[in-house]
Amino acid sequence: MSNTTIARPRASRTRIRPSVVVSVIVLTVGAFGMLAPFLFMIVTALKSAQHAYDLPPNWIPQEFRWENFAAAVNGPLPLLRNMFNSFLIAALTTLGMLITAPMAGYAFAHLRFPGRNSLFVLLLASLMVPVQVTVIPLFLIMRNLHLIDTPWSLILPGITGALGVFMMRQFFLVIPKELFEAATVDGANAWTTYRLVALPLVRNGLSALGIVTFLASWNAYFAPSVFLNSQDSATLPLALVLMRGPFSTGQLNVMMAATALAVIPALVAYLFAQRWIIAGLTSSAVKG
């Protein structure tokens, strides 16, 4: 019998490239820089008033003061009502945007009508106009309608927008034209094609538009500060500013507890819808 030698494969050693190490270090430092403000907010919300201004800051509280959250809710400002105001305005604004923006985006993408390109150029040009330019005429309109200091002064101007229309137009352009032609051959009109063919195919886009609109409305400060002038009608960002008091004399730990209560719902909504946001924002870049 001849001796046969079986060659065993050598264990391959994984080489870590220096560029990968540098990338991980840079990303880790960047991630800590982004998370540090949130950690500071949570830690300060759990500190006592005398340790809230410690320098350098202590990242581990000596004692956890959970009553700061109760003090923020039961303080002189109706924080829960302000949170409800923000949720109501953000929810109705998002609902209006999800109704109007897809219809306009579909019209600009697949319908033929006189002046379509010129109107779309004007729509894009309106994105370059800051809100501070239009706030005075908008305020006069809301005053004449007796809507100042009501949620409708923020809901009605926000139920549609050029950015939402532009986003939905891009999503509809990805859909192959053959689907619309087949629907037309089957006898479907424009509304039926939009409702039964186009709209179900842009669900990721609707999810992305909805969460972006909701977060923008939830975090808005400038417009509520102009149209709302009472504590009961104020939104949550306004309430947080009012909580600071004159010359920022409010308690920092209670303010941070209220800020955490304001951030947590938006953070949970973003984490829950992150998959649909990424899918929606990337699907328009892939030609179907």
Side-chain angles (χ1 to χ4, degrees):
M1 297 180 64
S2 61
N3 295 330
T4 58
T5 303
I6 300 177
R8 296 182 179 179
R10 296 181 179 180
S12 59
R13 296 181 179 180
T14 303
R15 295 183 179 180
I16 301 177
R17 293 177 298 178
S19 59
V20 176
V21 177
V22 174
S23 300
V24 171
I25 294 175
V26 172
L27 292 175
T28 302
V29 174
F32 179 78
M34 296 180 65
L35 292 176
F38 294 96
L39 294 177
F40 178 79
M41 175 186 66
I42 298 297
V43 170
T44 307
L46 297 174
K47 290 182 178 180
S48 61
Q50 59 181 352
H51 294 292
Y53 293 93
D54 289 345
L55 289 177
N58 186 8
W59 292 96
I60 301 178
Q62 297 180 359
E63 52 182 346
F64 294 90
R65 296 292 185 91
W66 297 100
E67 61 269 18
N68 292 337
F69 292 92
V73 174
N74 300 323
L77 292 174
L79 195 66
L80 293 180
R81 181 178 179 85
N82 300 141
M83 186 177 295
F84 174 77
N85 293 338
S86 292
F87 177 79
L88 177 66
I89 294 172
L92 293 181
T93 300
T94 303
L95 179 61
M97 183 68 73
L98 292 179
I99 294 175
T100 60
M103 290 191 292
Y106 176 78
F108 280 116
H110 293 289
L111 297 185
R112 300 292 182 266
F113 53 90
R116 185 189 67 166
N117 295 332
S118 300
L119 288 176
F120 186 69
V121 171
L122 291 176
L123 179 74
L124 294 181
S126 66
L127 292 173
M128 297 183 291
V129 180
V131 64
Q132 289 80 4
V133 175
T134 60
V135 67
I136 294 179
L138 187 59
F139 180 86
L140 296 177
I141 293 174
M142 293 301 161
R143 188 188 64 178
N144 294 333
L145 295 175
H146 304 287
L147 295 178
I148 296 298
D149 202 29
T150 66
W152 295 107
S153 61
L154 300 173
I155 296 172
L156 293 179
I159 60 176
T160 190
L163 181 60
V165 175
F166 173 74
M167 287 179 57
M168 295 311 304
R169 175 183 177 272
Q170 299 304 113
F171 290 123
F172 283 121
L173 286 177
V174 177
I175 302 175
K177 295 182 179 180
E178 290 77 10
L179 295 177
F180 301 102
E181 295 174 355
T184 303
V185 171
D186 291 338
N189 55 24
W191 172 250
T192 303
T193 303
Y194 164 76
R195 183 170 55 88
L196 299 180
V197 178
L199 203 58
L201 295 177
V202 293
R203 287 176 294 182
N204 290 333
L206 292 173
S207 301
L209 177 62
I211 192 64
V212 168
T213 304
F214 183 88
L215 292 179
S217 179
W218 179 270
N219 297 320
Y221 172 75
F222 176 75
S225 66
V226 173
F227 295 103
L228 305 178
N229 50 34
S230 65
Q231 293 184 2
D232 290 336
S233 63
T235 57
L236 198 54
L238 284 180
L240 295 178
V241 174
L242 294 174
M243 190 175 293
R244 293 172 53 188
F247 307 106
S248 298
T249 56
Q251 295 183 357
L252 181 61
N253 55 342
V254 178
M255 291 170 51
M256 286 299 176
T259 305
L261 293 176
V263 170
I264 289 175
L267 183 62
V268 171
Y270 177 78
L271 293 177
F272 176 76
Q274 183 180 11
R275 179 179 61 181
W276 292 281
I277 294 176
I278 296 175
L281 295 179
T282 56
S283 61
S284 62
V286 182
K287 189 66 176 177

